[in-house]
Amino acid sequence: MKLFPVRGGIHPEYRKERTAEQAIVTLPMPAALYIPLQQHIGAASEAIVAAGDTVKKGQVIAKSGGVVSATAHAPTSGKVVAVTEVTAPHASGLPLITIIIEPDGKDEWASDLPAPIADPFAADSKVIRDRVAASGIVGMGGAAFPSAVKLNLGTQHKLETLLINGAECEPYLTCDDRVMREFADEVIDGARIMAHALGAPNIVIGIETNKPAAIEAMGKAAAAHTNITVVGVPVQYPMGSERHLVQAITGLETPARKLTADLGVVVHNVATARAVHKAVRFGQPLVRRVITVSGGAVAKPANVEVPLGTMVADLVAFCGGFTQPPRRVVNGGPMMGQPLPSLEVPVVKGMSGILGLTTEETGEEPSKPCIRCGTCVTICPCGLVPVEMARFIKHDKLDDAAKWGVTDCVSCGSCSYVCPSHIPLVHYFNYAKGALSAADRERRRLDTIKGLVENHNARIEKQQAAKKAAAAAAAAAKAQAAQASTTDDDKANA
C-alpha cells in the first residue's frame, strides 16, 4: 500500500523495550474502586446509585449526562460506600464527584446485561451504536471521546474507510502493541463491527513498523477479510495523531476546524475496537482496560489489565513500587501525558500508561531566551510557527496567537522536545487554547443572555403594544357607542 509523507515530527528515544515483551498480566482486585463521573470528553455522567447500595459487575451506576457523554458501570460486584469528591487524575489536582465501591470478592456479573447480538452484520447500524453507547465505550487511545458519537458520523458523511490506529507512537507505551499481539482476533472483529455501523466499506489498520509482531498478528487475523489492509507506517512521532495517520495512509490533509470524516475517514483506537467486540458479542460494558506501567523509577515495568477505578497507588505497588523517588509521575506518555498530583488518583477509561520518570529521563533544564533558530517551525507536524505563537502568548495577545493557528495545535510537544533553549512551548499553547476556549464559552454565555433579554424586551413591547391597541379599540368602541347614543337622543328630541 502506498504511503504518503507527513511533515515535521521527531524521533525520540522510544524506550519500549522495557515492556514490549511483557505479556499482559491481571491486577488482583483492589480493596476499593473509585469511579469518577467525568472520565470522558463532554458532560459528566449522573450517578444513579447512593451509599449503601449493592451493585453487580457491569451494572449501570451513572447514566449519560447528555449527547456527548458516557455511561459508567460497576467494575465488580460489591457495595457503594460513598458518592463523594476524589482527586482527579489530572495535573490540576481538582476534585471530581466519584462513586466509591467496596468489592465483595465475588466479581459477579449483573443478571440483566444486554443479550449478545448474534449477527452484528445483519443488525441495523443504530442497534450497534446504541449498544456501544450503553456500554460506556470511549476512545481508549487517550482522547476519551464517546465512541458512539463517532460511530454516528456515518449518518452525516459519506465514509470510505475506518482507520484503526495501532501506531502507539508515544515512548514507553506498549499496551496497544500487546493488545494487538494477544487479542488480534477480537480487535479485527470489533473493527468489522464498527465499519458496519459506520457504513464504511474499507478498513485500514495502521501500525508503526517498530511493532513487527503486532503487524504479523493483525495480518494473520485479517487475512480472511479482503476489505481489511494492515499496513506498517513510519516510526515518526506523532504518527499516532489521527490527522497525521490519515495523511500518511491517504495523502489527504484534514483542513483546520474540520473532521477526518469530511475526508471520508473515521479513526478508532485498537483497544476501542476490542471493547466494541466485547460489548456486542458478550454484552459486556467497558469495566477494565490494559495499561503500561513503566519508567526508570518503576521496579517491575509491565502491561497490566486493571479494573477501572483502581487507585494508581495500587497499580504501582503491584509493579513492585518505585526503586527511587520519581521526578515525575505521568498519566499517559511522556510527550502528551499529564503529570499526576499524587498516586492517590483512580485509573480512568482513557488512561493508557503510568510512567514513573527519573530526573535523567525528564531531561528538565532551566529555560533560556529564545535564539530564534527556527527548529520548532521545521518540526511542527501541523505546519505552525511555534516561536511566533509563543511570543504573542507571552504578551497576553491571545487573539493574535489564534490568528497564527494556536487552536490548530495538537499539543504533541515536538516543539518543546527540540527547543535548544528548553522553552516549554506546548505549555504556552495549552494555556492559550484553554483561555481562548473559556473566553469563547463566556462570549456564548453572554450572547445567550443578551438574546434572552432581547426576547424578553420584545415580548414586553409586544404585550404593551397589544394593551395599547386593546385600550385604543375600547376607547374607540366607547366613543362610537357614545356617538350612537347621542344620535338616538337627537332623533328622539326631534
Side-chain angles (χ1 to χ4, degrees):
M1 183 176 186
K2 179 183 178 181
L3 296 177
F4 299 86
V6 176
R7 72 161 67 87
I10 57 175
H11 298 85
E13 291 185 60
Y14 283 97
R15 300 181 179 178
K16 293 178 181 284
E17 67 279 356
R18 300 166 186 256
T19 55
E21 301 307 319
Q22 298 288 330
I24 297 169
V25 294
T26 301
L27 178 79
M29 189 63 64
L33 297 172
Y34 302 77
I35 316 300
L37 300 185
Q38 180 74 69
Q39 49 179 313
H40 51 267
I41 289 177
S45 306
E46 300 172 1
I48 59 172
V49 294
D53 289 350
T54 298
V55 296
K56 299 295 185 182
K57 185 177 181 179
Q59 178 181 330
V60 176
I61 57 176
K63 64 180 182 179
S64 173
V67 176
V68 182
S69 186
T71 302
H73 304 77
T76 190
S77 55
K79 181 180 180 180
V80 176
V81 296
V83 180
T84 186
E85 290 186 338
V86 171
T87 303
H90 187 271
S92 67
L94 294 173
L96 290 174
I97 300 298
T98 300
I99 299 170
I100 304 176
I101 298 174
E102 183 180 89
D104 59 13
K106 299 177 182 178
D107 202 33
E108 183 179 355
W109 283 100
S111 60
D112 60 349
L113 291 180
I117 300 175
D119 185 359
F121 307 108
D124 184 83
S125 59
K126 186 177 184 303
V127 172
I128 304 298
R129 294 196 301 271
D130 288 348
R131 173 60 61 86
V132 170
S135 300
I137 299 173
V138 303
M140 296 173 70
F145 191 84
S147 299
V149 178
K150 288 184 76 171
L151 289 180
N152 196 46
L153 290 171
T155 65
Q156 306 157 35
H157 300 80
K158 180 175 173 52
L159 301 177
E160 292 296 329
T161 303
L162 167 63
L163 177 53
I164 298 297
N165 188 347
E168 197 168 47
C169 62
E170 277 270 11
Y172 293 91
L173 302 186
T174 57
C175 54
D176 284 351
D177 182 7
R178 295 308 311 186
V179 165
M180 289 186 287
R181 291 203 222 180
E182 298 181 41
F183 304 106
D185 289 336
E186 296 181 8
V187 174
I188 292 296
D189 185 58
R192 293 181 64 225
I193 291 170
M194 287 194 290
H196 170 69
L198 288 163
N202 302 305
I203 301 172
V204 176
I205 301 169
I207 308 170
E208 280 194 336
T209 54
N210 60 359
K211 306 173 186 62
I215 293 173
E216 181 181 4
M218 294 294 285
K220 288 181 179 178
H225 309 287
T226 57
N227 67 325
I228 302 179
T229 303
V230 178
V231 58
V233 296
V235 181
Q236 176 183 341
Y237 181 86
M239 187 58 72
S241 161
E242 69 170 27
R243 290 171 176 250
H244 298 97
L245 188 59
V246 167
Q247 186 176 2
I249 297 293
T250 68
L252 302 175
E253 187 169 2
T254 309
R257 287 167 289 283
K258 294 289 187 179
L259 301 173
T260 61
D262 293 308
L263 306 178
V265 184
V266 170
V267 183
H268 279 282
N269 172 265
V270 293
T272 307
R274 183 188 177 213
V276 169
H277 158 81
K278 295 172 78 172
V280 171
R281 296 291 188 180
F282 302 100
Q284 296 179 3
L286 179 57
V287 294
R288 305 177 68 87
R289 72 153 297 143
V290 180
I291 294 178
T292 298
V293 184
S294 190
V298 176
K300 299 176 181 178
N303 296 296
V304 190
E305 186 166 42
V306 304
L308 297 176
T310 298
M311 275 292 175
V312 169
D314 293 331
L315 181 55
V316 171
F318 177 74
C319 295
F322 294 129
T323 58
Q324 60 179 287
R327 177 67 182 85
R328 182 177 297 158
V329 179
V330 177
N331 164 18
M335 299 299 295
M336 296 184 70
Q338 291 285 331
L340 290 177
S342 76
L343 298 184
E344 299 302 320
V345 297
V347 169
V348 292
K349 296 177 180 181
M351 186 178 284
S352 55
I354 294 294
L355 306 181
L357 303 178
T358 63
T359 300
E360 181 184 2
E361 288 174 307
T362 59
E364 292 179 331
E365 293 188 33
S367 296
K368 302 172 185 176
C370 175
I371 61 175
R372 302 188 72 80
C373 63
T375 306
C376 60
V377 180
T378 302
I379 60 84
C380 179
C382 297
L384 303 176
V385 186
V387 61
E388 290 300 317
M389 296 192 304
R391 181 171 66 87
F392 285 122
I393 295 166
K394 284 181 181 179
H395 292 88
D396 210 28
K397 296 181 178 180
L398 300 186
D399 289 338
D400 288 324
K403 291 176 183 177
W404 280 77
V406 71
T407 55
D408 297 318
C409 168
V410 297
S411 299
C412 69
S414 296
C415 54
S416 298
Y417 182 84
V418 301
C419 179
S421 295
H422 305 285
I423 300 171
L425 293 164
V426 72
H427 292 178
Y428 285 112
F429 306 149
N430 287 340
Y431 158 74
K433 287 189 286 184
L436 287 166
S437 179
D440 182 59
R441 288 195 300 272
E442 180 64 12
R443 278 194 296 269
R444 284 188 276 114
R445 187 182 73 85
L446 293 176
D447 286 344
T448 299
I449 293 173
K450 181 181 178 182
L452 292 173
V453 170
E454 289 175 349
N455 290 338
H456 174 73
N457 291 340
R459 287 195 303 271
I460 295 298
E461 290 177 5
K462 187 175 180 180
Q463 291 171 358
Q464 290 176 343
K467 287 180 180 179
K468 288 179 180 179
K478 184 176 180 180
Q480 186 176 6
Q483 183 179 4
S485 177
T486 301
T487 302
D488 289 343
D489 289 345
D490 289 343
K491 289 180 178 179
N493 291 334

